[in-house]
Amino acid sequence: MSALPTPANSPSPNRWTHARALLPRFRDLLGPAGVIDAPADLAPFCADWRGREPGSAPFALLPATTAECAAIVGLCAEARLPLCPQGGNTGLVLGAVPDGEIVLSLRRMNRIRALDPVNDTLVVEAGMVLANVQTTAAEAGRLFPLSLAAEGSAQIGGLCSTNAGGVGVLHYGMMRDLVLGLEVVLPDGRVLDALTGLRKDNTGYDLKQLFLGAEGTLGIITAASLKLFARPKGFATAMVGVPDLATALALLAFLKNEGEDALTMFEAMPDAGVRITLEQFPNLRPPLDGSSAWHILVEQSLFAHAASPEALETLLAEAMERGLAEDAVIARTEAQRQAFRAIREHLPLAEKAFGQAVKHDVSVPISAIAQFHDAACAAIARIAPEALIIAFGHLGDGNLHFNAALAPGADASILAAKAAEITRVTHDCVASFGGSFSAEHGIGRQKRAELAARKSPEALALMRALKTAIDPLGIMNPGRIV
Ligand code: FAD
Ligand code: ZN
């Protein structure tokens, strides 16, 4: 196995003194808006979305251009100072929370570089927030389909770097499928201009794919060329009640086969998850009259097909006749559609407010997800009866956020003491179904030991060889992934 460069990334006084000695040069380069070092202003850069494990950094640098970003990285390489790239800081695995490194925030690099509705491409800088990318595409009559609950804060650079998924993956894929080209500042300060808008380009290795999902460990993404799509002419959305995940899978197959390829969302929520969401957000309304064990948010995007809300209603009536659904409500208005989607979007927020949970982000083959769910629930019940499983998310992709929350009245300290064991049995169960212990949130600092333990030696050796070849000084987000 190749050795890794190991810069000490703890907040050692020497390192910080060394970093602070460069502050005048960074101020000259970036101006006052580009350097943040007052403790109160720096604090938000040092905590994650869940408010966990506040990190530490000597200061944050905010370049406004690629040239400024390249100059920062060049100076840091010369001085052997590690950097932690940061986007919207909504990542869930402590990848963007500094552990003593200088924070490099891309938030000032938020411009549109080019929009080509005929080539169906939008080139934006890394700091542009996803919601603004969606709006820009919509204003040009096109669609950028990535959609997730953090879209008001997550930035294109972070989304690329985590290969983000979300609720449209079923139809459109993840960021690796949505990016045609990248501009990247390499760890020595050179700029890789691979910002192509080409759909066909077989000129050797696909270098952009190295940086997509690399969580900032191989370079700083400064701009991305994104694929645009036709805007649907409308949506047919329904909330469907099913008794179990096996029935949900049969419904998924039915809708895929009979629904003219219009299915763009198939998200599962357990009854317990819907209940805590309605409790935490009393302005939301219960979507179904009955009490099904699972709620499935189904959405078809209406292109030139015959699909329509009425056609979906007919399809779901047939699904009910075949025993594939217990209950279904069709959204009749855009407000109703948004109300259904709001329940799914608020579920992670409700869970956060509900309290402590041992969280997992797992995937297995779609066909195995019901069996996985039942097997993992049984395994956890054996070791932690005080856990309340709230498994929700992207059923249509075989991806569940499989979380063990605290059952009402149970002792929080017991669950906390069993957290490692709960994760071990869950991930063992995932492995037994040929799955992944990190479906969409990445590795960061949080799952690094898990990666080392569960990835094959061959894969780990290749990953380490890539890291050493591209970042020989080890200054790019050290301590993440490998
Ligand atoms: P950050 O958190 O700032 O950074 C993430 C990682 O990328 C870090 O390792 C960081 O160092 C690195 N990085 C950031 N910018 C750059 C750059 N320009 N160049 C190089 N490296 C960089 N994720 C999903 O995939 N699907 C979901 O459905 C989903 N739902 C979510 C819902 C909520 C409520 C929340 C809080 C998060 C959710 N996430 C989801 C996770 C998160 O939103 C994504 O991981 C997102 O891609 C992170 O973007 P960000 O800009 O916040 O990146
Ligand atoms: Zn998700």
Side-chain angles (χ1 to χ4, degrees):
M1 240 178 258
S2 46
L4 266 189
T6 49
N9 59 325
S10 58
S12 83
N14 280 348
R15 181 173 297 282
W16 282 23
T17 309
H18 193 35
R20 287 198 177 108
L22 284 180
L23 266 176
R25 291 180 74 182
F26 288 129
R27 285 195 214 283
D28 280 351
L29 180 68
L30 307 172
V35 180
I36 292 182
D37 61 341
D41 299 335
L42 194 56
F45 293 87
C46 296
D48 87 337
W49 180 80
R50 291 185 181 138
R52 294 174 306 170
E53 296 202 24
S56 61
F59 46 83
L61 301 175
L62 290 71
T65 63
T66 301
E68 287 181 2
C69 186
I72 292 170
V73 176
L75 275 173
C76 287
E78 242 174 73
R80 305 279 197 276
L81 288 171
L83 284 163
C84 172
Q86 192 176 89
N89 204 7
T90 67
L92 298 172
V93 291
L94 301 175
V97 181
D99 187 20
E101 307 90 5
I102 297 169
V103 172
L104 198 160
S105 164
L106 279 294
R107 70 159 73 144
R108 289 174 74 213
M109 292 190 60
N110 57 7
R111 285 165 291 250
I112 300 168
R113 295 246 186 112
L115 172 64
D116 183 343
V118 176
N119 196 43
D120 256 337
T121 44
L122 172 63
V123 180
V124 298
E125 291 182 340
M128 194 156 174
V129 167
L130 175 56
N132 295 341
V133 174
Q134 294 164 341
T135 308
T136 304
E139 283 168 0
R142 312 305 294 159
L143 173 79
F144 184 63
L146 192 80
S147 173
L148 43 82
E151 64 198 22
S153 308
Q155 300 173 6
I156 285 301
L159 295 156
C160 286
S161 299
T162 57
N163 181 31
V167 294
V169 173
L170 173 66
H171 191 80
Y172 296 103
M174 299 178 74
M175 276 305 264
R176 284 202 171 106
D177 304 298
L178 300 176
V179 173
L180 290 172
L182 288 178
E183 179 186 83
V184 182
V185 174
L186 298 172
D188 59 5
R190 286 176 302 157
V191 178
L192 173 72
D193 181 357
L195 207 48
T196 162
L198 300 176
R199 273 147 220 276
K200 301 185 96 170
D201 178 16
N202 278 348
T203 50
Y205 304 133
D206 188 353
L207 295 176
K208 71 172 180 296
Q209 291 295 352
L210 279 177
F211 301 94
L212 291 163
E215 301 181 36
T217 60
L218 301 179
I220 312 284
I221 294 173
T222 44
S225 171
L226 307 173
K227 276 190 205 170
L228 300 181
F229 294 81
R231 275 182 78 68
K233 298 187 190 331
F235 300 96
T237 308
M239 194 68 85
V240 184
V242 294
D244 49 45
L245 287 181
T247 307
L249 284 187
L251 175 67
L252 173 67
F254 173 75
L255 291 176
K256 275 182 173 173
N257 289 336
E258 307 295 326
E260 302 193 6
D261 197 28
L263 190 66
T264 44
M265 201 187 295
F266 195 86
E267 296 281 310
M269 293 174 281
D271 188 46
V274 173
R275 269 190 284 112
I276 64 163
T277 306
L278 297 174
E279 274 162 30
Q280 300 285 343
F281 296 96
N283 55 326
L284 299 177
R285 293 271 138 268
L288 294 174
D289 293 337
S291 58
S292 292
W294 290 88
H295 288 50
I296 310 292
L297 176 62
V298 170
E299 187 161 280
Q300 293 180 321
S301 292
L302 313 180
F303 300 104
H305 307 276
S308 66
E310 293 69 33
L312 177 61
E313 188 169 23
T314 309
L315 213 54
L316 288 174
E318 193 181 332
M320 285 170 82
E321 268 171 34
R322 293 185 187 200
L324 304 180
E326 293 176 326
D327 197 358
V329 182
I330 305 276
R332 296 287 167 200
T333 62
E334 179 58 21
Q336 269 176 357
R337 170 176 175 252
Q338 291 304 341
F340 287 176
R341 292 184 59 134
I343 293 173
R344 168 64 185 90
E345 278 158 22
H346 283 73
L347 207 165
L349 310 174
E351 213 195 9
K352 183 182 176 193
F354 185 66
Q356 185 199 356
V358 188
K359 303 197 174 205
H360 311 95
D361 162 37
V362 302
S363 63
V364 295
I366 299 168
S367 49
I369 200 146
Q371 286 162 281
F372 157 75
H373 175 269
D374 294 350
C377 284
I380 291 177
R382 281 194 289 276
I383 58 163
E386 55 284 319
L388 167 71
I389 302 299
I390 299 185
F392 66 94
H394 321 294
L395 196 68
D397 313 326
N399 172 199
L400 284 178
H401 298 307
F402 190 91
N403 300 338
L406 192 64
D411 181 344
S413 65
I414 298 183
L415 190 69
K418 292 180 183 171
E421 184 64 358
I422 291 173
T423 294
R424 189 185 61 73
V425 299
T426 305
H427 288 175
D428 282 352
C429 196
V430 167
S432 73
F433 285 95
S436 165
F437 66 87
S438 184
E440 60 174 10
H441 296 161
I443 301 298
R445 286 197 267 135
Q446 191 178 310
K447 297 184 183 170
R448 196 177 176 218
E450 202 70 6
L451 186 84
R454 292 187 183 268
K455 203 86 179 167
S456 76
E458 296 76 18
L460 280 171
L462 262 180
M463 285 187 181
R464 289 177 174 143
L466 279 170
K467 169 73 177 168
T468 312
I470 296 174
D471 180 21
L473 301 174
I475 63 163
M476 279 295 157
N477 225 7
R480 281 74 168 177
I481 306 190
V482 287

